[in-house]
Amino acid sequence: MAGLRPGGRFAVRPPGRRFAESGPARAGSPEDLPFGPPTGGMRRPVDRRRQLTRIGLVVSAMGVVVGLLALPFWAAAGLFAKASADHFLELPSDLVTPPLPQSSRILASDGSLIATLRGAENRQVVTGDKIPQIMREAIVSIEDARFYQHNGVDPQGVLRAAARNSEAGTTTQGGSTLTQQYVKNVLLQDATTTEERDAVAGDSLDRKLRELRYAVAIEQRFTKDEILERYLNIAYFGDGAYGVGTAAEHYFGVSIADVSLEQAALLAGLVQSPSRYDPVNHEEAAKERRNMVLTRMADENYISRTQADAARQMPIDVRRDQPEVQDSCEDSGAPFFCDYVRAQLRASPALGATAEERDRRIYEGGLVIQTTLNPQVQQAAQSAVDSAIPRDSRVSATEVVIQPGTGAVLGMAVNRTYGTDVAANQTVVPLPTLDKPDGPPFQPGSTFKTFTLAAALEQGYGVRTAYYSPACYETPAFPLERRTGDCRKGYQNADPAEVGIYDMGRATWDSVNTYFIQLEEEIGVPAVVEMATRLGVSPDHLKDIPSTKGDVTIGGEYVTPMDMAVSYATLAAGGIRCDPRFASSIVDSAGQALDVGVTPKCERVLSQGVADTVTSILAGVLTNGTGGNARFNHPAAGKTGTNDGFSSAWFVGYTPQIAAAVAVGDPNGAETNPLRNIAINGRTWPHVYGGDLPALIFGQSMRGALAGQPVQPLPAADPATARGTKGGRLMNTPPPAPTPTQPSLDNLIPGFGQGGGQGGTGQIPGLVLPGQQPQSGAAAGQGVQTGQSGRPTRPGAQPRSGQQGR
């Protein structure tokens, strides 16, 4: 009878040829079956010695047939003599069936596919309930029509195959059962050397008997449907596709559950000779083979003749643009994050003691890696770096986004195509996390001042701690000798007009170098380094720094965007540092959970009061200082950074929900290829500050990343921390103004001393008399006007050579 199949397909299943839910249904009484009644996968309490003796006798009887079909005459004679029941019983029967090698999948936090990590065998194992009936019927029809009637060894099938092959004049059907083919595939899978593989694939008498013995034992261990499922997952379908699930995706771009009749027939026809029937390179041969499968399905009453005729008219329609890369990181929407995940897995001892063992687990272990990557955040970051600086520019833009309080990596973007074509400006260099031996390519500039700020507050220096900050500051604590410039032995500000008395807030907003050099001199270089590593900078990037290296506070070392994103996320979390985490769950092919980068590792490293006070100061960078271009529709805190000679520029910032670090520079040599005269999107930048492109990227990416998220306020400063125990005073004395050398004003302006000239003030505007302090906008609280770039707009202001800047 014809029955309606899901999707409108029909199948005719004669009695005894059904796929039962609880086990296969077989025709005839139990005594008619070659080796006893079906078991449903359970061992029967029978006399196994007697049963196997019967099997051995059957095998002995088959020896002549098998020998005549597959071996020269003399070998057949040897097989007949050797295949006695006793010898058959002595052969091993316990076939080891380890998990199949299969590809691993990297998923985003929403379950969408980021990449597939493929090894030598591209395979995704599918469960039996995902394999449609039509696929099962197709493979049984062409490979083993009596699959549900025999018990692993089928003399009748051997004779029928010989007859069909004789009629066709070629090999159209094999004599081995599907169970035997499964055994052979398992043995090939376990072979580790060429010699072992040749032995498994050869025609030796021992190999054939051993294969038969294993097949009989497999039939005792598994149900028919289980054997068929295992076979369809281990079989090779050509063009690097192992397993029917991978083959369906590979050739048709559909799930195996959705294959059509003609597609199932094409796949079933491939297993005999994947290269000969390759549908891409040998389309006609593939079509003939597919049509043969359709004919066999009709012969076995799985489909009607009408269905077979209609399917035979369908053209061969397969995907022809298959990627040639071993894994799909290059094709991923987050390639640098994919590479980061892969690197973290390769470094994890939990996946193996050696690199080879770990690679085997990664590429063949069928891992399902549910990552922390947020598609919305990733898309926002990638769009921001790409729109700010095109991918064909020599200048790179890198952004890393971290979730405060969990360490989850939410996004990782670079304005580069991930690949090995250097001429096309591609790169596989992990710019977000580049570590030893090459080392990070960029210095962080003034974004490092935040660590000095935090260390000073922790030591009791309040926010009103003030210094007179000159344009050039020399100190024996941090000796410096430059060959050029007008501040050869000292540290100078990016803007020579930055001179005056600055407190902690205004010095941070305006990024005044000479203020922070003096603050670092007060608390010590080791305190700055210790705070940086405590908050999240890798200790490997801050090794062996002498206490006289004063440029630490203004970013003299080399760090990664990941370092800075983690550190600022610690401040956003109120002083709780979390190690960067790339996954929320990892399971292997057996469903076993692996704790590799999954469990949050967090600890308090800074008091809430200090962290919140730092945040309150950094918020002013966006509203009152150099980071105006980073502003968006949420309250945020952050810091700009510009390096010596414009070698690179940064912006690092955060909201309570997310923290991000943006680094811009030429990775081919930041110092030798500075950010000067950069033509981008029709605009030429004479030089790039941290408040320029990096701040713009940060603002744009955060706007997209937080779209639809609630606006959360930043914390206020902790009163006790802000007040401090050591600060709130001028830490040094401004130098006296030079004594005027001009003639007496009384001689030049009669009556000046009696109230003339300036309304009786006795002072000409702009002239500082001895004993008076110069008036600084910073000290007077007037603020400094900023332009669109977020930098002070003092006329003619230019950074000076040899100095880290804002």
Side-chain angles (χ1 to χ4, degrees):
M1 298 292 293
L4 181 62
R5 178 185 310 285
R9 297 193 293 272
F10 286 80
V12 178
R13 298 193 185 97
R17 293 193 177 183
R18 300 188 306 274
F19 289 89
E21 292 297 324
S22 60
R26 300 173 181 176
S29 67
E31 294 303 319
D32 294 330
L33 300 179
F35 310 120
T39 68
M42 302 294 293
R43 297 181 182 272
R44 297 190 298 274
V46 298
D47 187 338
R48 290 185 55 79
R49 179 78 181 181
R50 179 181 177 185
Q51 183 187 48
L52 291 175
T53 299
R54 291 181 60 198
I55 295 171
L57 292 174
V58 173
V59 172
S60 298
M62 287 180 59
V64 174
V65 177
V66 175
L68 291 175
L69 287 175
L71 300 171
F73 177 79
W74 62 268
L79 175 62
F80 181 79
K82 193 172 185 180
S84 65
D86 287 341
H87 179 70
F88 185 80
L89 292 174
E90 292 172 358
L91 293 173
S93 63
D94 293 332
L95 178 66
V96 178
T97 56
L100 290 174
Q102 58 178 309
S103 305
S104 296
R105 292 179 295 152
I106 301 176
L107 309 178
S109 60
D110 64 351
S112 59
L113 182 66
I114 294 175
T116 301
L117 302 178
R118 304 184 180 97
E121 296 185 9
N122 178 21
R123 175 188 286 111
Q124 284 293 326
V125 172
V126 291
T127 56
D129 61 335
K130 297 294 192 300
I131 303 175
Q133 193 80 359
I134 199 170
M135 186 67 241
R136 297 167 180 263
E137 294 166 349
I139 198 71
V140 167
S141 296
I142 194 65
E143 290 296 322
D144 187 1
R146 283 175 41 80
F147 176 67
Y148 280 89
Q149 281 73 53
H150 64 68
N151 273 48
V153 180
D154 186 19
Q156 182 178 333
V158 172
L159 294 174
R160 184 173 66 176
R164 290 187 182 279
N165 295 343
S166 177
E167 291 175 4
T170 184
T171 302
T172 63
Q173 188 170 357
S176 297
T177 66
L178 280 172
T179 309
Q180 289 174 258
Q181 293 182 47
Y182 169 67
V183 168
K184 184 175 182 178
N185 275 300
V186 171
L187 294 174
L188 284 171
Q189 191 76 62
D190 291 343
T192 58
T193 66
T194 303
E195 292 74 15
E196 290 176 349
R197 293 184 65 85
D198 289 343
V200 172
D203 288 327
S204 72
L205 305 181
D206 280 340
R207 197 277 297 172
K208 287 184 177 295
L209 284 177
R210 188 182 301 269
E211 185 179 288
L212 293 172
R213 181 72 172 89
Y214 279 140
V216 172
I218 286 291
E219 290 274 345
Q220 295 295 312
R221 291 175 58 191
F222 305 111
T223 67
K224 286 289 187 178
D225 283 349
E226 287 172 338
I227 294 171
L228 189 56
E229 175 187 335
R230 286 168 172 263
Y231 171 77
L232 287 171
N233 274 303
I234 200 173
Y236 180 54
F237 290 84
D239 203 23
Y242 289 80
V244 71
T246 305
E249 292 280 358
H250 181 79
Y251 288 113
F252 312 122
V254 301
S255 166
I256 184 59
D258 299 324
V259 294
S260 63
L261 170 59
E262 60 272 12
Q263 289 173 336
L266 177 65
L267 293 178
L270 284 173
V271 294
Q272 185 187 86
S273 180
S275 58
R276 183 191 309 170
Y277 302 124
D278 178 2
V280 175
N281 298 307
H282 304 291
E283 184 173 333
E284 285 303 315
K287 187 173 184 179
E288 289 180 11
R289 179 66 174 171
R290 180 203 67 181
N291 292 346
M292 182 180 298
V293 175
L294 293 167
T295 299
R296 293 292 300 126
M297 293 180 74
D299 290 344
E300 297 297 321
N301 292 325
Y302 287 127
I303 61 174
S304 68
R305 297 292 177 186
T306 301
Q307 284 179 293
D309 291 341
R312 278 192 288 265
Q313 304 307 311
M314 300 298 293
I316 298 294
D317 184 15
V318 295
R319 300 169 64 187
R320 300 176 184 275
D321 55 344
Q322 300 294 341
E324 298 180 357
V325 295
Q326 184 180 16
D327 62 71
S328 59
C329 272
E330 292 186 20
D331 300 323
S332 170
F336 290 90
F337 178 75
C338 174
D339 180 69
Y340 171 68
V341 170
R342 183 170 50 189
Q344 295 300 304
L345 293 173
R346 292 199 72 204
S348 174
L351 295 182
T354 66
E356 291 75 15
E357 292 176 3
R358 294 192 288 271
D359 280 348
R360 192 175 304 115
R361 293 288 298 278
I362 294 168
Y363 294 102
E364 299 180 0
L367 305 180
V368 178
I369 306 147
Q370 185 95 33
T371 72
T372 58
L373 188 86
N374 183 294
Q376 178 178 331
V377 175
Q378 174 64 26
Q379 179 60 41
Q382 192 65 59
S383 297
V385 297
D386 285 340
S387 61
I389 306 176
R391 296 194 178 195
D392 59 358
S393 173
R394 70 173 177 85
V395 178
S396 70
T398 303
E399 183 169 18
V400 174
V401 187
I402 298 287
Q403 183 179 49
T406 69
V409 181
L410 303 179
M412 187 177 288
V414 182
N415 69 325
R416 285 286 190 276
T417 298
Y418 186 90
T420 57
D421 189 350
V422 178
N425 213 33
Q426 296 180 359
T427 186
V428 295
V429 175
L431 293 175
T433 59
L434 185 62
D435 209 336
K436 305 294 183 184
D438 298 318
F442 305 130
Q443 297 167 297
S446 293
T447 61
F448 234 66
K449 291 173 180 172
T450 297
F451 304 128
T452 306
L453 183 65
L457 288 170
E458 187 176 62
Q459 290 189 20
Y461 294 93
V463 297
R464 296 189 62 82
T465 299
Y467 291 96
Y468 172 77
S469 303
C472 175
Y473 180 74
E474 298 180 11
T475 171
F478 306 141
L480 193 64
E481 180 64 47
R482 305 181 195 278
R483 294 183 178 179
T484 60
D486 53 3
C487 188
R488 292 175 55 187
K489 295 187 178 182
Y491 300 84
Q492 59 193 136
N493 295 324
D495 184 349
E498 287 175 338
V499 176
I501 298 174
Y502 290 85
D503 63 14
M504 197 174 283
R506 177 55 66 181
T508 303
W509 303 344
D510 288 353
S511 199
V512 180
N513 291 335
T514 57
Y515 175 92
F516 277 91
I517 290 293
Q518 294 179 82
L519 188 60
E520 181 187 41
E521 187 178 10
E522 189 78 23
I523 65 174
V525 170
V528 178
V529 172
E530 191 273 339
M531 180 60 68
T533 56
R534 204 198 312 169
L535 294 187
V537 177
S538 170
D540 290 340
H541 301 154
L542 299 176
K543 284 184 176 180
D544 304 323
I545 297 177
S547 59
T548 57
K549 198 173 190 302
D551 67 353
V552 169
T553 188
I554 53 178
E557 303 307 306
Y558 289 82
V559 298
T560 68
M562 177 68 81
D563 286 332
M564 301 306 291
V566 171
S567 300
Y568 277 57
T570 301
L571 296 170
I576 297 175
R577 186 196 68 211
C578 298
D579 292 346
R581 183 168 60 94
F582 66 88
S584 56
S585 71
I586 301 177
V587 295
D588 61 18
S589 60
Q592 183 71 35
L594 304 174
D595 189 3
V596 181
V598 172
T599 304
K601 296 180 180 179
C602 304
E603 63 174 320
R604 176 166 293 283
V605 296
L606 190 67
S607 71
Q608 178 93 35
V610 172
D612 289 351
T613 305
V614 172
T615 295
S616 70
I617 294 174
L618 295 183
V621 174
L622 281 74
T623 57
N624 300 305
T626 58
N629 281 330
R631 283 182 289 185
F632 59 106
N633 54 348
H634 284 239
K639 185 68 186 74
T640 56
T642 310
N643 285 293
D644 192 6
F646 297 103
S647 61
S648 63
W650 294 64
F651 188 89
V652 189
Y654 55 90
T655 71
Q657 298 105 314
I658 54 178
V662 179
V664 173
D666 190 329
N668 295 313
E671 285 76 16
T672 56
N673 301 285
L675 299 176
R676 294 179 181 272
N677 300 317
I678 305 299
I680 297 175
N681 295 328
R683 174 181 176 181
T684 299
W685 297 80
H687 39 249
V688 177
Y689 285 95
D692 294 330
L693 289 170
L696 290 168
I697 292 171
F698 175 86
Q700 180 181 337
S701 65
M702 293 301 100
R703 190 176 295 109
L706 290 172
Q709 298 298 312
V711 175
Q712 295 186 14
L714 294 172
D718 174 63
T721 303
R723 184 168 51 252
T725 58
K726 302 177 182 178
R729 58 188 176 87
L730 183 62
M731 303 297 291
N732 65 351
T733 303
T739 302
T741 57
Q742 63 268 33
S744 169
L745 293 178
D746 287 332
N747 295 332
L748 294 176
I749 307 176
F752 179 81
Q754 286 73 42
Q758 296 298 318
T761 63
Q763 182 172 343
I764 297 177
L767 178 64
V768 180
L769 297 180
Q772 292 184 329
Q773 294 183 358
Q775 293 297 304
S776 164
Q782 297 172 355
V784 179
Q785 298 297 316
T786 60
Q788 293 298 314
S789 68
R791 304 188 313 275
T793 55
R794 298 184 178 95
Q798 294 289 336
R800 309 176 92 175
S801 174
Q803 182 60 60
Q804 308 289 90
R806 50 171 72 97

